[in-house]
DNA sequence: ATGTGACTTGGAGTCCGTT
DNA sequence: AAACGGACTCCAAGTCACA
């Protein structure tokens, strides 16, 4: 997202870092998390790198796969 | 979102209800909230009706406009 | 096992209007 | 003030080949 303002890119990065953090706590690979959340492996990767402006439904899928309430990801 | 599974549409509706709830607490119209969040009037309306799969950046914008942490909206 | 660039497609998001 | 529709633009979603 090259055109997004700074603070908005920061929000995406923070979200990605949080996902990665929780995933590692569970000892999962990106691929395993992707399978649990019914998402693509490379898509999860790009989310963790803060490159994606993830929408609500996928936030819920990730939260469920990570075993936390959705609000915990932001 | 006609193709989305039930529980995912429920998640969108819950989000919309929460936005409407907080907006009314502040005594704002949809248009005033839209202006504060730098979103379009009709878009905020459709979000409140649970018709939109809102993306992360717009969740942040709405949260900011409503004066709550983003996690409070989900 | 993860990063990355490129790609297509569906839907996010805008703008015009009427009810 | 809000719901809703049509027509549009552009980006999120989802996948792939390759590093």
């Amino acid at each position: 997202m090259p055109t997004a303002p700074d603070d908005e890119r920061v929000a995406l990065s923070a979200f990605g870092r949080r996902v990665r953090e929780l995933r590692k706590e569970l000892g999962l690979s990106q691929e395993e998390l992707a399978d649990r959340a019914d998402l693509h492996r490379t898509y999860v990767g790009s989310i963790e790198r803060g490159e994606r402006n993830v929408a609500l439904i996928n936030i819920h899928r990730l939260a469920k796969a990570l075993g936390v309430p959705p609000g915990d990801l932001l």
Side-chain angles (χ1 to χ4, degrees), chain A residues 15 29 32 41 44-45 51 54 57-58:
Chain A
F15 181 82
S29 68
E32 287 165 335
R41 175 184 79 70
V44 170
E51 297 171 0
V54 194
I57 288 183
N58 285 338

Side-chain angles (χ1 to χ4, degrees), chain A residues 30 34 40-47 49 52:
Chain A
Q30 288 182 351
H40 198 88
R41 175 184 79 70
T42 60
Y43 184 54
V44 170
S46 59
I47 288 173
R49 273 172 265 126
R52 300 284 185 148

